[in-house]
Amino acid sequence: MSPQPMLTLDSVSKSFGRIQVIHNVTVDVYPGEVTVLLGENGAGKSTLIKMIAGVHQPTSGRILLDGEPVSITDTKTSESLGIATIHQELNLVPSMTVAENITLGRTPRRFGVINRAEMRRIARDALAQIGLDLDVDTHVGELGIARQQLVEIAKALSLDARILILDEPTAALTTSEIEALFDVVRDLKAKNVGMVFISHHLDEIAAIGDRVNVLRDGGFVAQVPATTDEDELIRLMVGRSIDKQFPREPGASTGDAEAAQPLLEVKGLNADGLRGIDLSVRPGEVVALAGLMGAGRTELLRCLAGADHYASGEVRVNVRKLKPYDVAAATRAGVGHVPEDRKTQGLVLDASVAENIGYATMGATSRFGLVDRRGQRARAERIAERLRIRMDSIEQPIRSLSGGNQQKAVFGRWFSAGSKVLLLDEPTRGVDVGAKVEIYELINEITAGGGCVLMASSDLPEVLGMSDRVLVMSQGTIAGELPTAEATQDSIMQLAVSNVHRDEEEPHAASAGTGDEGATA
Amino acid sequence: NRGEDAGQKVTLAVSTLNNPFFVDLRDGAEDAAEELGIELDVVDAQNDSATQANQLATSASDGSAGVIVNAVDSAAAGSALGPVVDAGLPVVAVDRAVEGAEVASLVASDNVAGGEQAAKALAEAVGGKGQIVILEGVPGASSTNERGEGFTKGLAEFPEIEVVAQQTAQYDRATALDVTTNLLEGNPDIVGVLAMNDEMALGAIQALGARAGEDIHVVGFDGTEDGFAAVEDGKLYATIAQNPEELGRQSVEVMSKVLAGEEVEELQNVAVDTVTVENVEEFSD
Amino acid sequence: MNAAAKQRHFDLKSFLANNGALVGLVVLCIALWIATPHFLTGPNLMNIGIQVSTIAVMAFGLTFVIVAAGIDLSVGSVAALSAMVSAYWTTTAGLPDGVSILVGLAVGAVSGLVTGMMSAYGKLPTFIASLAMLTIVRGLTLVVSDGRPISTSESVSFLGSNLGPVPMPIIVMVVTGLIAAFVLNRTIIGKNAFAVGGNTEAARLSGIPVKRVLVTVFAISGLFAGLAGMLLAGRLDSAQPTLATGYELDAIAAVVIGGASLAGGVGRISGTLVGALVLAVIRNGLNLLSVSSFWQQVVIGVVIALAVGFDVIRRKNVRH
Amino acid sequence: MNAAAKQRHFDLKSFLANNGALVGLVVLCIALWIATPHFLTGPNLMNIGIQVSTIAVMAFGLTFVIVAAGIDLSVGSVAALSAMVSAYWTTTAGLPDGVSILVGLAVGAVSGLVTGMMSAYGKLPTFIASLAMLTIVRGLTLVVSDGRPISTSESVSFLGSNLGPVPMPIIVMVVTGLIAAFVLNRTIIGKNAFAVGGNTEAARLSGIPVKRVLVTVFAISGLFAGLAGMLLAGRLDSAQPTLATGYELDAIAAVVIGGASLAGGVGRISGTLVGALVLAVIRNGLNLLSVSSFWQQVVIGVVIALAVGFDVIRRKNVRH
Ligand SMILES: Nc1ncnc2c1ncn2[C@@H]1O[C@H](COP(=O)(O)OP(=O)(O)OP(=O)(O)O)[C@@H](O)[C@H]1O
Ligand SMILES: Nc1ncnc2c1ncn2[C@@H]1O[C@H](COP(=O)(O)OP(=O)(O)OP(=O)(O)O)[C@@H](O)[C@H]1O
Ligand SMILES: O[C@@H]1[C@H](O)[C@H](O)CO[C@H]1O
Ligand SMILES: [Mg+2]
Ligand SMILES: [Mg+2]
């Protein structure tokens, strides 16, 4: 049924030093098809596609392009072979504009002089392809991670490549952006572009995938059609089945939640992009923050965590007022914060896994200024095992862990710190189905112990499966609240876009984010 | 737009004040200025010709009536004085000559002659033979070149003296300590150290420890207070005493005469003396 | 159209945002204008223009290196070697003056090239590569000159003189400043420097030849340093073996005061000029005020901190 | 148990990985041993030990700042001010010698504290804050000393002398090196410095008090610089106004040669010691070989580049 593969990874293996991470794997990419790579965190998906992108060279095996062996020694070669790659981790220059980033490495120019008009045109066209209406002169560093991800996607699309590789492009996106992206993918299929797609969202595989290559521990497990049912995919990937993807157990005190004293209380908070936020979370509760891209969820969590200034309002934890803009004070009060971008805000990439897990407990457990090395290590080992962080050694630099495993470490940091108020910003971004369940169980443990969780998530099944209440944000305000039991994806989306429509009638309310929501809604 | 009261303000451009020699020079100049009712504006080039050029250009337009210059570098000072000369201000050079610009007078001691005296003093100390090392000043500085010239002249008369090493210690005491220590390793049999200033001589003495003044003799240059003290202790065989205070004092006196329209000598020589334990009392205070 | 208007608006804003030390500079100038009648005079402003030229030209080139997240400590020494070789070429070796400036520029560019290659291909941190070049090049200057000053050629002396009423150093500074700004903002060389400095990994993954970019920015830095050295020697009519010793710190300071970050990815030629002016105005002002030279150093330090501090305060106000 | 064994194994490896310049140092020593019989002698090695002490102690403190992604240009000046104030305290002001060393240490720590506060609370880039302190502190040294050397107190002179057969500077260097290594690797101060230097934002979001960490590392740097200054003055029996001028570049070079990155997050005290030794051995060797002072600078530069280059080559071999 399929034509000749346009690209083949033929029995490739890859080692880093003594450690072999890919064992003799073969993958074919066909024109007009989406080849899905599926596997747990650390299975080797990103390593595999980096060999196509020219970042890594296979230790053994061949890469065939149109049946001919090629050697892809660097990224430039990969690009010149018609391959475009969207990497799992963002690779943008924050100090440069959207237009400059989209044309990076192939800036239009005449005699070395940059043609800025052409550069903007290319960028605008690329953004239009995915329906993102963004000022191309904005500095990328000012954008939230979702928009950065979209810029990254636009950059790859604008290459007009024959082969497009997408490594977890949807992890940071909300439903509407994902839909827009999939429209483009379908379009490209029709244009005979061959694609490789990686995602931990199994529903997405069914939506756009054609064939699925399952990997486990760096080895090839099976190739199955994308129509294979989710339970079977999970079984192939994890080697066992998972009974409950969302094991939410209501917290200890949710029984009389209404009566209990709120653990986290926010009153009249106003900040950059946030207006009049009031909310409270009681012990034992998991409250989800839902909303469109740019709705202000990240900003709200950052204010509560002490990471950003707010103009007015107050935040109370356990009745006591938190000092604004002081993370250390918030930490002492028992607040833990998993930021939205692990790479720039969560991790010290050159430090070890143990150290990264231990940052939040290092000060509190030290005695006479001496770091409790043994204790820190034991705590890190315990949490790493619990979350099944796949690594060679706990002393290994966290940079060399797979993306999903890095994310687990950031979460683990606050769990081992025993935080009572967890502020989670997309906590399971890039985490595989199995490990997600572990994270959810830890959330259950925290609420069972009288703690509470405020969780921003763009993953609506996660919102519906793991929270007790849903706060829907829109345009920097809380547009409404729904008990999870009564909420549906539709009812949440309705609230999420509620303010957007009102704003369109009020020209003065053209806040920074308006245009985008208008376009993507 | 000079001050109504011509002769009021004079700029003294010093090469560096990080060195006691020039601090003394400045002190002498300030004393004389006070006596003569001159307002003395001292600027410090921190041993950089270009900084000095900037300062000289500034002095041409800041209301000064005359400029006394202690050049960082004789050659560079000539053109650097351009704006001052163009503004019609009189210039007196002190301690170091200025090449390529008309100056009313040069108040200086002679580095070449001093270097020659130093070499002779060391030769006398070591009995006219043996291995010696030379500690040079900042490479390329005019005083380094001139004293080196003087050393060569002076040593020419003593064919049995062998210069086994010639290294820079940057006019700096700490550097001289390390350099001398290291040189001693390779040249354990030296009998003398000829240093281009007292600071380096004192660093060498520190390195020599008990050998200083016993089997190894050191000669310095400048006649600083620390230098004289070392002479008194018998650690420093001799220092070539310039009289920096006198240099400073006379430069201001000459400038005041120039401003008053009086005739002055083109070259005002300030004595350079070889100071040893014999005559040190006359110099130190 | 709307976007274009917005764009122009943004450029003004970003000019201010990137030239923050301007506020510090203006405050400084006002203070000096009040403090001394000698500050705001034609000749004194001309002096400042001449005095700032060496550091400014040096710092223009250095801006490229710093934007690319490198550092170049060798600029002072390279300035000296370029001036010295160019003087040697004509005065000592008697070769034609006509090309003596080109010789100096070539020496500068090649020195920078070598630093860049040590860092790009030898994988040395730029701090170490350029520190090594600092002493190597200074040593070579002493070797070429035998430790003595050499008179500059007529063309180089012309660089330090006046063209009609206007000092050549100021002309050279303005022209090279415009060229540097153009290259940094409008050409692929500049863009690549920003990309490499902003995120080396992203630049590499986008196919930007990171090594070549490094070598290029160092060559540019060397070229400008060479020119700066000849400007300075031209003013002195003499190339000195100790020329521009220690200028690297001033030049780096000018770039950083001008708003660049040593972490790379940010920097502006106009900012660098402001940074260099801040330093020159401070020195000039303290001379005019006859501050004692010991205290002068204390005051210079305090004023540098304040001038940059103004920028920080201003930026904080803008952010919120 | 297995994990523990693995751990010990890893420590050795990481020692080598972090002390790469060790290879360069060993090569250098072998070359000198072949080139001159005077190099590998007991007394000469002792000399090297004494000569390296100032830069090493200074660089130990500086390692903290560099690990935290800062830079401290003021260390040379702070060394001078500490030595000078301590000498002034006893010699000029006639106050009790007993505490003169403490006075010097306090001056150093306070100077560092001020730099740290300018940078943490004044938001100045550390390059600018410490550059400002460089000139402020040097100016104060000149003010205190009036440009003249002051004899050191007996306690300070003792720091520069011998304790039995062993030179005090070496003892001080070893002891402070051990303390520094302990503080950097085992205490919360050190670990915080690594976190802040590795990723300031991540450290802040983990509740690490970034500002306090910055102030602390600069205070440590100032403290060590003050001690280094007294060591040097003690050897000279005199505190000089020009003491340790320009030492900042040597000290930074020692830290970077020792494997630290100016980008922060990496650094080792043992590496810094090796870096300082590389510089001291080069200078010592060139003196022993009586290389002419002009060429000496060229050779120093080349050898620095090679010594660090060796590390790079070695690391490349390990990686693949
Ligand atoms: N540079 C490296 N050095 C050492 N090990 C590495 C390196 N890069 C990746 N690895 C290891 O290779 C394995 C595969 O990693 P990879 O990033 O390919 O996983 P992945 O399947 O993409 O996982 P995720 O779903 O979490 O993104 C992991 O165990 C990881 O720790
Ligand atoms: N159009 C825009 N241009 C630039 N910055 C914007 C724009 N819209 C929002 N932002 C900023 O980007 C961030 C996006 O908002 P925030 O991240 O809080 O929203 P979110 O609901 O968490 O959405 P996301 O899914 O993007 O994380 C905020 O810091 C906001 O100030
Ligand atoms: O005469 C002075 C002193 O000797 C000083 O030590 C160096 O510079 C010279 O000009
Ligand atoms: Mg991956
Ligand atoms: Mg968000």
Side-chain angles (χ1 to χ4, degrees):
Chain A
M1 71 168 204
S2 294
Q4 272 298 104
M6 46 201 315
L7 179 87
T8 303
L9 285 168
D10 182 13
S11 326
V12 292
S13 300
K14 176 73 193 169
S15 311
F16 293 103
R18 299 172 284 113
I19 307 148
Q20 186 166 5
V21 299
I22 301 287
H23 307 265
N24 202 22
V25 172
T26 299
V27 175
D28 292 314
V29 182
Y30 296 95
E33 282 196 16
V34 173
T35 300
V36 176
L37 296 182
L38 185 63
E40 289 179 283
N41 295 132
K45 305 178 293 295
S46 298
T47 307
L48 214 49
I49 62 98
K50 281 179 186 168
M51 294 191 232
I52 309 173
V55 177
H56 294 322
Q57 277 72 53
T59 329
S60 69
R62 302 183 303 166
I63 301 176
L64 305 174
L65 190 71
D66 301 321
E68 295 294 316
V70 286
S71 136
I72 309 180
T73 49
D74 55 26
T75 50
K76 198 80 194 169
T77 311
S78 169
E79 208 180 296
S80 67
L81 294 174
I83 303 165
T85 309
I86 298 162
H87 288 282
Q88 181 175 9
E89 303 298 336
L90 290 168
N91 278 296
L92 298 168
V93 184
S95 50
M96 296 180 95
T97 66
V98 170
E100 287 168 335
N101 269 286
I102 287 177
T103 57
L104 201 65
R106 52 198 176 92
T107 313
R109 55 186 185 266
R110 235 181 301 159
F111 309 116
V113 178
I114 289 161
N115 184 344
R116 297 214 267 193
E118 175 69 4
M119 182 173 83
R120 292 200 184 97
R121 191 194 58 76
I122 294 174
R124 272 194 283 265
D125 288 356
L127 292 179
Q129 255 199 82
I130 46 168
L132 181 62
D133 176 21
L134 193 62
D135 181 353
V136 295
D137 293 314
T138 317
H139 286 267
V140 159
E142 292 166 24
L143 301 178
I145 191 161
R147 278 190 190 77
Q148 293 193 14
Q149 179 69 67
L150 289 170
V151 170
E152 184 94 51
I153 292 170
K155 178 181 165 190
L157 292 177
S158 71
L159 283 169
D160 286 327
R162 314 168 49 209
I163 299 172
L164 179 63
I165 297 167
L166 306 107
D167 191 353
E168 302 198 29
T170 57
L173 303 183
T174 59
T175 323
S176 44
E177 285 84 38
I178 293 173
E179 263 324 303
L181 173 63
F182 285 180
D183 285 344
V184 177
V185 168
R186 288 184 197 107
D187 214 37
L188 293 175
K189 274 192 185 186
K191 292 181 186 152
N192 256 349
V193 173
M195 284 168 278
V196 179
F197 178 74
I198 301 173
S199 174
H200 290 292
H201 294 138
L202 301 180
D203 52 330
E204 294 171 6
I205 293 172
I208 54 155
D210 292 301
R211 58 185 84 214
V212 181
N213 289 281
V214 185
L215 301 172
R216 199 190 303 153
D217 286 337
F220 178 79
V221 174
Q223 195 192 70
V224 294
T227 46
T228 313
D229 78 74
E230 289 196 8
D231 289 339
E232 175 63 8
L233 288 178
I234 291 173
R235 204 192 50 76
L236 284 170
M237 178 164 79
V238 191
R240 62 187 161 92
S241 47
I242 289 174
D243 356 309
K244 263 183 106 179
Q245 280 197 41
F246 299 107
R248 173 76 189 131
E249 294 158 7
S253 50
T254 18
D256 48 352
E258 294 304 310
Q261 185 62 248
L263 194 47
L264 171 70
E265 195 171 19
V266 181
K267 276 201 194 123
L269 188 123
N270 288 297
D272 229 13
L274 294 177
R275 278 170 294 154
I277 303 287
D278 293 304
L279 64 85
S280 62
V281 187
R282 277 169 276 278
E285 258 193 322
V286 174
V287 175
L289 283 174
L292 297 176
M293 178 179 69
R297 296 164 295 174
T298 294
E299 196 48 47
L300 174 57
L301 291 182
R302 285 178 60 87
C303 287
L304 304 188
D308 280 345
H309 283 290
Y310 45 89
S312 61
E314 58 176 47
V315 179
R316 289 177 184 277
V317 169
N318 231 341
V319 192
R320 284 185 49 204
K321 206 174 156 219
L322 265 194
K323 192 172 166 219
Y325 195 51
D326 186 342
V327 182
T331 311
R332 279 194 299 275
V335 176
H337 172 217
V338 174
E340 76 172 337
D341 185 3
R342 57 177 170 262
K343 196 169 159 191
T344 61
Q345 300 158 9
L347 298 168
V348 178
L349 287 170
D350 289 319
S352 69
V353 181
E355 277 176 309
N356 271 286
I357 292 176
Y359 284 134
T361 49
M362 194 165 64
T365 59
S366 68
R367 257 190 298 167
F368 311 115
L370 292 187
V371 173
D372 171 21
R373 300 214 305 176
R374 201 170 308 164
Q376 284 286 91
R377 205 187 146 85
R379 277 185 289 276
E381 265 167 355
R382 219 176 304 132
I383 199 74
E385 195 168 323
R386 181 77 200 267
L387 287 170
R388 288 200 247 145
I389 295 181
R390 188 182 300 251
M391 63 200 172
D392 205 38
S393 146
I394 196 125
E395 296 301 329
Q396 154 182 27
I398 203 155
R399 181 191 292 284
S400 62
L401 257 54
S402 78
N405 284 304
Q406 293 179 357
Q407 182 71 28
K408 289 189 253 174
V410 182
F411 181 85
R413 172 187 302 160
W414 296 109
F415 183 76
S416 73
S419 303
K420 280 292 176 198
V421 179
L422 271 192
L423 307 172
L424 309 178
D425 201 348
E426 312 281 356
T428 60
R429 163 174 304 158
V431 173
D432 68 42
V433 271
K436 265 185 198 170
V437 176
E438 297 296 334
I439 288 183
Y440 297 149
E441 279 172 355
L442 290 179
I443 288 177
N444 282 341
E445 246 176 71
I446 285 164
T447 53
C452 70
V453 174
L454 182 60
M455 169 179 78
S457 174
S458 299
D459 184 353
L460 286 181
E462 174 175 275
V463 166
L464 295 173
M466 275 308 293
S467 67
D468 303 321
R469 272 191 293 145
V470 186
L471 296 176
V472 185
M473 289 191 70
S474 173
Q475 296 287 295
T477 61
I478 292 181
E481 177 180 338
L482 300 164
T484 306
E486 294 160 27
T488 61
Q489 298 211 7
D490 281 344
S491 62
I492 291 173
M493 288 318 278
Q494 239 163 28
L495 277 172
V497 299
S498 57
N499 274 357
V500 179
H501 295 302
R502 210 169 47 228
D503 276 354
E504 272 168 5
E505 290 150 29
E506 296 174 42
H508 76 269
S511 80
T514 314
D516 314 322
E517 276 78 43
T520 49
Chain B
N1 62 340
R2 239 172 282 158
E4 326 75 84
D5 215 337
Q8 274 284 306
K9 177 165 148 186
V10 168
T11 296
L12 169 60
V14 186
S15 59
T16 174
L17 284 175
N18 280 352
N19 179 325
F21 178 88
F22 298 106
V23 178
D24 287 344
L25 186 149
R26 178 205 61 187
D27 288 353
E30 279 177 345
D31 287 349
E34 201 175 295
E35 284 164 23
L36 296 167
I38 288 175
E39 182 197 334
L40 193 69
D41 178 8
V42 184
V43 293
D44 170 7
Q46 292 173 17
N47 259 334
D48 179 38
S49 290
T51 302
Q52 186 156 66
N54 295 345
Q55 291 169 338
L56 291 174
T58 304
S59 73
S61 62
D62 76 349
S64 294
V67 174
I68 303 174
V69 59
N70 162 235
V72 171
D73 180 272
S74 304
S79 64
L81 279 167
V84 178
V85 174
D86 290 348
L89 306 185
V91 177
V92 170
V94 63
D95 177 48
R96 297 169 182 177
V98 170
E99 288 163 21
E102 195 71 12
V103 299
S105 179
L106 167 65
V107 181
S109 42
D110 188 341
N111 273 317
V112 180
E116 206 174 333
Q117 276 169 253
K120 286 180 174 156
L122 185 68
E124 178 189 304
V126 302
K129 60 170 189 283
Q131 300 184 337
I132 67 164
V133 296
I134 291 177
L135 296 179
E136 300 177 320
V138 173
S142 64
S143 57
T144 304
N145 295 334
E146 287 163 14
R147 283 170 207 180
E149 201 182 324
F151 285 177
T152 312
K153 270 194 192 168
L155 291 174
E157 291 172 31
F158 303 94
E160 284 178 74
I161 290 184
E162 188 196 350
V163 179
V164 291
Q166 190 153 348
Q167 302 257 298
T168 181
Q170 312 283 350
Y171 278 138
D172 181 59
R173 202 188 289 195
T175 310
L177 166 56
D178 287 353
V179 168
T180 310
T181 312
N182 295 341
L183 288 178
L184 275 175
E185 286 304 320
N187 308 284
D189 301 326
I190 58 165
V191 295
V193 176
L194 192 48
M196 288 191 181
N197 76 352
D198 280 353
E199 285 295 300
M200 294 191 294
L202 291 165
I205 287 169
Q206 206 77 24
L208 294 173
R211 297 179 74 185
E214 295 296 327
D215 55 334
I216 301 179
H217 294 285
V218 183
V219 171
F221 203 114
D222 275 357
T224 61
E225 273 175 48
D226 283 4
F228 291 141
V231 170
E232 277 167 8
D233 288 351
K235 296 271 182 194
L236 184 62
Y237 180 77
T239 175
I240 305 307
Q242 314 192 58
N243 194 335
E245 269 172 65
E246 203 47 38
L247 286 175
R249 158 174 292 281
Q250 290 194 19
S251 67
V252 173
E253 286 168 0
V254 168
M255 176 55 80
S256 118
K257 284 189 191 156
V258 174
L259 292 175
E262 293 172 33
E263 283 287 302
V264 293
E265 296 278 333
E266 225 170 89
L267 180 67
Q268 186 103 3
N269 256 324
V270 175
V272 183
D273 301 284
T274 307
V275 179
T276 62
V277 72
E278 319 274 297
N279 59 350
V280 67
E281 268 165 48
E282 300 164 31
F283 292 88
S284 65
D285 36 26
Chain C
M1 303 109 272
N2 190 359
K6 206 168 171 190
Q7 184 44 26
R8 226 170 299 131
H9 175 71
F10 262 35
D11 265 357
L12 180 67
K13 244 185 75 177
S14 80
F15 175 83
L16 280 175
N18 282 292
N19 293 289
L22 205 51
V23 183
L25 180 63
V26 170
V27 171
L28 198 60
C29 288
I30 294 175
L32 284 171
W33 173 57
I34 295 170
T36 159
H38 301 296
F39 178 71
L40 211 69
T41 65
N44 191 52
L45 293 183
M46 203 73 109
N47 280 343
I48 293 176
I50 299 174
Q51 289 167 16
V52 79
S53 61
T54 312
I55 290 291
V57 170
M58 202 176 262
F60 290 157
L62 190 56
T63 305
F64 285 79
V65 173
I66 290 180
V67 159
I71 193 155
D72 188 354
L73 297 170
S74 71
V75 286
S77 300
V78 169
L81 183 64
S82 296
M84 191 57 78
V85 172
S86 133
Y88 185 93
W89 174 271
T90 321
T91 308
T92 311
L95 292 162
D97 177 9
V99 293
S100 64
I101 293 183
L102 291 181
V103 169
L105 293 176
V107 168
V110 170
S111 305
L113 201 81
V114 172
T115 315
M117 303 227 293
M118 283 203 273
S119 140
Y121 299 99
K123 301 260 170 62
L124 297 183
T126 58
F127 185 91
I128 295 293
S130 65
L131 180 70
M133 277 306 269
L134 181 158
T135 86
I136 292 174
V137 167
R138 181 65 67 185
L140 290 178
T141 308
L142 288 165
V143 170
V144 170
S145 66
D146 196 25
R148 279 161 227 278
I150 304 181
S151 307
T152 48
S153 66
E154 270 177 35
S155 349
V156 171
S157 293
F158 173 68
L159 278 185
S161 63
N162 278 23
L163 186 73
V166 194
M168 276 298 288
I170 297 186
I171 298 177
V172 172
M173 172 174 72
V174 170
V175 172
T176 55
L178 291 173
I179 295 176
F182 180 80
V183 174
L184 186 62
N185 298 320
R186 297 298 171 99
T187 72
I188 193 70
I189 294 176
K191 278 292 171 252
N192 282 347
F194 276 109
V196 169
N199 185 346
T200 309
E201 188 57 14
R204 200 169 61 81
L205 289 178
S206 303
I208 289 175
V210 174
K211 292 181 184 180
R212 213 175 334 132
V213 172
L214 263 182
V215 174
T216 309
V217 294
F218 273 98
I220 291 175
S221 177
L223 184 74
F224 277 78
L227 180 60
M230 287 187 286
L231 275 185
L232 185 57
R235 285 173 59 205
L236 301 168
D237 284 334
S238 143
Q240 315 243 307
T242 54
L243 194 87
T245 303
Y247 278 32
E248 53 278 358
L249 286 190
D250 263 25
I252 299 171
V255 178
V256 177
I257 294 174
S261 156
L262 289 179
V266 203
R268 283 228 153 186
I269 296 297
S270 52
T272 296
L273 178 62
V274 171
L277 277 169
V278 166
L279 295 174
V281 168
I282 294 174
R283 302 235 158 90
N284 174 276
L286 291 177
N287 281 167
L288 292 180
L289 293 172
S290 303
V291 176
S292 103
S293 65
F294 294 168
W295 282 106
Q296 215 172 93
Q297 301 203 41
V298 178
V299 178
I300 288 179
V302 171
V303 177
I304 289 178
L306 287 181
V308 182
F310 262 114
D311 180 30
V312 174
I313 296 168
R314 189 192 50 76
R315 258 190 264 179
K316 212 190 283 176
N317 287 341
V318 167
R319 206 189 300 146
H320 292 287
Chain D
M1 305 107 271
N2 190 1
K6 205 168 167 186
Q7 184 44 26
R8 226 170 299 132
H9 173 73
F10 261 35
D11 267 355
L12 180 68
K13 244 189 74 179
S14 80
F15 175 84
L16 280 174
N18 283 291
N19 293 289
L22 206 50
V23 183
L25 180 62
V26 170
V27 172
L28 196 59
C29 289
I30 293 175
L32 284 171
W33 173 55
I34 294 170
T36 159
H38 303 297
F39 178 71
L40 210 68
T41 65
N44 191 52
L45 295 182
M46 202 75 110
N47 283 342
I48 293 175
I50 300 174
Q51 288 168 15
V52 78
S53 62
T54 312
I55 291 291
V57 170
M58 202 175 260
F60 290 157
L62 190 57
T63 305
F64 285 80
V65 173
I66 290 180
V67 159
I71 194 156
D72 189 353
L73 297 170
S74 71
V75 284
S77 300
V78 169
L81 183 65
S82 296
M84 191 58 79
V85 172
S86 134
Y88 185 93
W89 175 270
T90 321
T91 307
T92 311
L95 293 161
D97 177 10
V99 293
S100 64
I101 292 183
L102 290 181
V103 169
L105 293 177
V107 168
V110 169
S111 305
L113 201 81
V114 172
T115 314
M117 303 229 292
M118 283 203 273
S119 139
Y121 299 99
K123 302 257 170 62
L124 297 184
T126 58
F127 184 92
I128 295 293
S130 65
L131 179 71
M133 278 305 270
L134 180 157
T135 85
I136 293 174
V137 167
R138 182 64 68 184
L140 290 177
T141 308
L142 288 164
V143 170
V144 171
S145 66
D146 196 26
R148 295 187 173 84
I150 304 181
S151 305
T152 48
S153 67
E154 270 178 34
S155 350
V156 171
S157 292
F158 172 69
L159 278 186
S161 64
N162 278 24
L163 186 71
V166 195
M168 277 298 288
I170 296 186
I171 298 178
V172 172
M173 173 174 71
V174 170
V175 171
T176 55
L178 290 173
I179 296 176
F182 180 81
V183 174
L184 186 62
N185 298 318
R186 298 296 172 98
T187 71
I188 194 80
I189 294 175
K191 288 290 175 200
N192 279 346
F194 276 107
V196 169
N199 183 346
T200 309
E201 185 62 4
R204 186 171 75 90
L205 293 184
S206 300
I208 291 172
V210 173
K211 290 181 185 179
R212 217 179 325 135
V213 172
L214 263 183
V215 174
T216 309
V217 293
F218 273 98
I220 291 175
S221 177
L223 184 73
F224 277 77
L227 180 60
M230 287 186 288
L231 275 186
L232 184 58
R235 288 174 58 207
L236 299 167
D237 286 334
S238 148
Q240 314 241 301
T242 54
L243 196 85
T245 304
Y247 279 31
E248 55 277 358
L249 285 190
D250 263 24
I252 299 171
V255 179
V256 177
I257 293 175
S261 156
L262 289 178
V266 201
R268 283 227 152 188
I269 297 297
S270 53
T272 295
L273 179 61
V274 171
L277 277 169
V278 166
L279 296 173
V281 167
I282 294 174
R283 301 236 158 89
N284 175 273
L286 291 177
N287 281 164
L288 292 181
L289 294 173
S290 297
V291 176
S292 100
S293 25
F294 296 170
W295 283 104
Q296 215 171 94
Q297 302 205 41
V298 178
V299 178
I300 288 179
V302 172
V303 178
I304 290 178
L306 287 181
V308 182
F310 263 112
D311 180 32
V312 173
I313 295 168
R314 192 192 48 77
R315 255 189 266 181
K316 213 189 278 173
N317 288 340
V318 167
R319 208 186 299 146
H320 293 290

